[in-house]
Amino acid sequence: MTTPKPKRLYQVWKGSNRFFCGGRLIFGPDVASLFLSTLLIAGPSLTFCCQVIDKIYKREMHETRQSHDRSHILGFPALIVGLIIAISDLLFLLLTSGRDPGIVPRNARPPESDEAFDVTTPSMEWINGTAPNLKLPRTKDVEVNDFVVKVKYCDTCKLYRPPRASHCSICNNCVQKFDHHCPWVGQCIGLRNYPFFFLFISSSTVLCMYVFTFSWLNVLEEMENYGNSLWKSMKGELLSLVLIVYTFIAVWFVGGLTVFHIYLMSTNQTTYENFRYRYDKKENPYNKGIMRNVGDVYCSKIPPSLNKFRSWVIAEEVQEYIAPSQCLGVICSKDKVDIEMGIKPDPGSNVSIPNILQNLDYSAIDDNLKLNERQNDDEEVVPFAFPVIQEPIVNIRRDSNQCCIVPDARVIDENAGKGHFPQQNSHPLHILRK
């Protein structure tokens, strides 16, 4: 038997992300929108810079020394500052779009049975059939800054999401401190790229205001050459007029977005939480005051990525799990029938048939089961169901890259360095039936 060929993690990644430069850059599936955003920023910026260079060239070549000594609005200082703002804006856009936003590594197997059976939760909603012989609560309670917070189980990633994490349906990943999926950058906005996202929208706002202001000043300055007529000056300075209209429209969008995120940052909320009215009727457990909230974003170290996309991995065979509709409880009904009916189990299973059941006549029961199967009953009837004792064999190997929540998890703070979220291994648990 040949051993599987190792591959890079990004080559077998189950999310919808797109990787470039050998896994060094990670984008969302809608990465094409990044080029549109780049064009919307670089186009007006280059137009403004070309206009300034043209003004400088004309003054150098055609104006007299007397007029040349007079200062002009569109000069080298305006050109240099405009270039700095535009380049910074594009750099923040790339840093927002091309990095891991805080993806939570998904589990290859559901949580272990000690977590499934020993947890106390007020939730009466259960996850059935995510794995054979497992029954998991849909939600759990964890403690964050002395507040009880509910966390949900993710069926796709097979884990309990960390507090403030959510599953992005576009990227198909659970993201730490999920804010939203931004179509303009083609990436989720989360714990690791939110600071760059805010710098991107705020620098876009500054760039719009800068170009708008200097374009207007240029029109007003050129009125002297058009008989002090504003209308003629606007017609003569057509590039300035186009930039004025364009930046006036754009600043309402990026400026409003910047103001909104200033409010979110100062109250330590995410867009996802705000749109769901998460803290309208209860206190926000993450709010520490305006200064500390802002400090958590820009005065704390960005936590490292939980995924090493360039690491070598060996792709394992995907284990098939029984669908939820096929499993009705802690023990799957098919397993009950195998044990109770004396049917020979699969060679690889550990199911042992009690001696007292091996010599019994099950023909009547078999006929009854076949009749129920033909009638497509919603609830399967299993007569003479005997209890089966399940004893989990604890064989757990810890992996620092997993983010599953364990029972009685206690979270002090979501920031790195101030408290670490408990993590759990994703390897399957072997169930021993007696």
Side-chain angles (χ1 to χ4, degrees), residues 404-423:
C404 296
I405 296 178
V406 298
D408 301 327
R410 192 177 185 89
V411 182
I412 303 304
D413 198 325
E414 72 273 16
N415 297 316
K418 300 180 181 178
H420 296 281
F421 201 77
Q423 301 174 349

Side-chain angles (χ1 to χ4, degrees), residues 376-393:
N376 294 323
D377 289 339
D378 294 335
E379 185 174 355
E380 185 176 355
V381 178
V382 184
F384 307 110
F386 292 91
V388 179
I389 301 176
Q390 297 185 353
E391 295 181 4
I393 299 177

Side-chain angles (χ1 to χ4, degrees), residues 288-314:
K288 306 172 184 177
I290 297 178
M291 298 303 297
R292 292 186 62 186
N293 291 336
V294 176
D296 286 344
V297 177
Y298 286 107
C299 298
S300 60
K301 185 179 179 180
I302 297 178
S305 174
L306 299 176
N307 304 278
K308 296 181 179 180
F309 294 108
R310 288 181 49 79
S311 61
W312 293 98
V313 295
I314 298 178

Side-chain angles (χ1 to χ4, degrees), residues 23-206:
R24 294 177 178 87
L25 297 178
I26 172 174
F27 297 89
D30 48 350
V31 64
S33 60
L34 177 63
F35 297 99
L36 176 60
S37 300
T38 302
L39 180 63
L40 293 175
I41 296 172
S45 301
L46 288 176
T47 302
F48 176 77
C49 292
C50 290
Q51 185 184 27
V52 175
I53 294 174
D54 181 67
K55 290 287 183 181
I56 296 174
Y57 176 77
K58 287 181 178 180
R59 286 198 299 269
E60 291 288 344
M61 297 297 295
H62 303 290
E63 290 185 356
T64 61
R65 180 175 297 274
Q66 182 178 359
S67 61
H68 179 73
D69 292 338
R70 185 171 60 91
S71 61
H72 294 271
I73 294 297
L74 299 185
F76 280 108
L79 176 64
I80 295 173
V81 174
L83 282 174
I84 293 175
I85 299 176
I87 294 174
S88 300
D89 194 17
L90 294 173
L91 179 62
F92 294 140
L93 173 62
L94 180 61
L95 290 174
T96 303
S97 181
R99 66 186 288 123
D100 177 7
I103 298 175
V104 180
R106 63 182 66 194
N107 283 341
R109 303 290 183 268
E112 311 293 356
S113 63
D114 57 348
E115 180 180 352
F117 292 109
D118 297 337
V119 65
T120 57
T121 173
S123 174
M124 298 303 294
E125 186 179 1
W126 298 88
I127 303 167
N128 290 320
T130 53
N133 306 329
L134 285 181
K135 187 176 181 182
L136 306 174
R138 174 65 62 179
T139 62
K140 283 187 177 184
D141 293 338
V142 297
E143 193 171 317
V144 179
N145 298 330
D146 297 328
F147 289 88
V148 176
V149 178
K150 287 187 179 295
V151 294
K152 294 182 179 180
Y153 181 83
C154 179
D155 296 291
T156 303
C157 299
K158 297 183 178 65
L159 52 80
Y160 286 96
R161 301 167 188 161
R164 313 191 83 177
S166 183
H167 191 91
C168 176
S169 59
I170 300 177
C171 293
N172 195 24
N173 294 312
C174 281
V175 180
Q176 294 175 296
K177 198 179 179 182
F178 178 77
D179 191 88
H180 69 288
H181 182 92
C182 182
W184 295 101
V185 303
Q187 180 64 282
C188 290
I189 308 302
L191 178 64
R192 299 189 68 251
N193 64 348
Y194 182 82
F196 300 105
F197 171 75
F198 181 78
L199 289 175
F200 161 65
I201 58 176
S202 58
S203 60
S204 298
T205 303
V206 172

